[in-house]
Amino acid sequence: MALEFDLIETYFKPLSQSLSGEEVGIGDDGAVLSVPENHQMVVVTDTLVSGVHFPLETAAYDIAWKAVAVNLSDLAAMGASPGGYSLGLTLPDHDQAWLKDFSSGLEAITKQFKIPLIGGDTTKGPLTLTVTAHGWVPNQQAILRSGAQVGDLICVTETIGDGALGLKLALHQLDKEFTSGLNEIEKQALLSALNHPVPQLAIAADLRGLVNSAIDISDGLLADLGHILEQASGKQSRLSAGLILELGAEIELTKLPLSSAVEKYIAQTHDWSPVLSGGDDYQLCMTFNQNNWPQLQQMAQQHGVRITQIGRVVEQEGIHCLMSGKPVADEFVRATGYSHF
Ligand code: ADP
Ligand code: MG
């Protein structure tokens, strides 16, 4: 189909150019990539469907950025250095203005993280994007969810809850009294967290050896921390041959790093759901041995990334939320929309 050929040549092929001389990107039946010696490949995939994973009216630039960003966030959680990505694109039509805006979003994230587009597929249908990204880790050094240990401290990067509150703002679900109390900078920061998440790829390689486990927060802090605990519990029970050790966590809510907008929201509504179960954060939640804290903090600081301790891994099953050291009622956590704790 000539149109499809033009579209690929104009908008996608230029993003393939940073591959090395021996490699082949867009234009052949498949991409040909060189594998760095003594490394393993980490592969991640995420699909975004219009109206499901982003509001219908989201700008094409932001859709492109986010489709790649959520994948790079998965690579970061594995401690991988970026390799490349492919794009499965289903489009309802060939709207040139939309495509131009879309490809500038792709170009922005491609350049920022120096990760080439290596291929893809283009089809007609309801707007859907599937990105598959790959990256590299030295043999056996990928950061796994199952690595968490009893006694580990838990930390998160930057602030959480902004993406979920940003979605409420974008969908006009917040009451006027609250939104009129936000300044323009706060509103923009919420929308930017929703539409322009910045994957923590800059610190990914340096996390290897410093943290025992990591996950990127896409479904909400409690759910994603829960995944770490489940995976680690499975591993522990295998290791201790039948003696099942279920790991849990204690989270101190007053330590959670919140933006001023999210702080205002909680003060006014007492609703913690954007922070605890909202999702769309694309920040990392990690567990680490406390001896590594000084080095971890220094490394993050060098990259200009804020990391905050929020709790620790314990032997008692479940996620236990504390408010200034006092356990909060189960109903409180249930009210956030988080069910299986
Ligand atoms: P084929 O018919 O062999 O599958 P295509 O016409 O689908 O080839 O694709 C031609 C080339 O363009 C391939 O190298 C493919 O990887 C690339 N390509 C197609 N669609 C995209 C896209 N959305 N993004 C990036 N590359 C694409
Ligand atoms: Mg094809």
Side-chain angles (χ1 to χ4, degrees), residues 13 16 35 40 53 108 110 120-121 132 212 241 274 295 306 309 320 330:
K13 205 163 177 186
S16 205
V35 182
Q40 290 177 300
H53 299 101
T110 299
D121 197 25
T132 300
N212 288 335
Q295 214 183 326
R306 173 178 173 190
Q309 287 185 26
H320 313 280
D330 288 355

Side-chain angles (χ1 to χ4, degrees), residues 163-236:
L165 196 59
L167 181 62
K168 284 183 187 286
L169 181 65
L171 296 177
H172 309 286
Q173 289 173 351
L174 296 169
D175 71 39
K176 277 217 181 72
E177 196 198 336
F178 171 71
T179 38
S180 61
L182 295 179
N183 61 43
E184 266 323 295
I185 295 171
E186 287 171 326
K187 284 185 203 161
Q188 283 314 314
L190 292 179
L191 294 175
S192 171
L194 173 69
N195 293 322
H196 200 84
V198 179
Q200 292 300 349
L201 207 51
I203 60 170
D206 289 340
L207 290 173
R208 300 193 292 247
L210 285 180
V211 302
N212 288 335
S213 70
I215 192 166
D216 74 316
I217 309 175
S218 53
D219 296 334
L221 175 66
L222 297 183
D224 287 315
L225 177 59
H227 293 318
I228 285 187
L229 298 171
E230 278 157 27
Q231 297 275 332
S233 298
K235 186 160 184 187
Q236 301 274 345

Side-chain angles (χ1 to χ4, degrees), residues 73-97:
S73 179
D74 282 327
L75 285 183
M78 302 297 294
S81 305
Y85 70 97
S86 66
L87 169 67
L89 181 60
T90 304
L91 286 173
D93 48 39
H94 283 86
D95 179 336
Q96 292 298 320

Side-chain angles (χ1 to χ4, degrees), residues 251-258 263 272 310 322-325:
I251 298 296
E252 173 54 58
L253 298 182
T254 57
K255 286 191 183 166
L256 296 180
L258 308 178
E263 258 174 17
W272 283 75
I310 61 165
L322 307 174
M323 186 79 86
S324 306

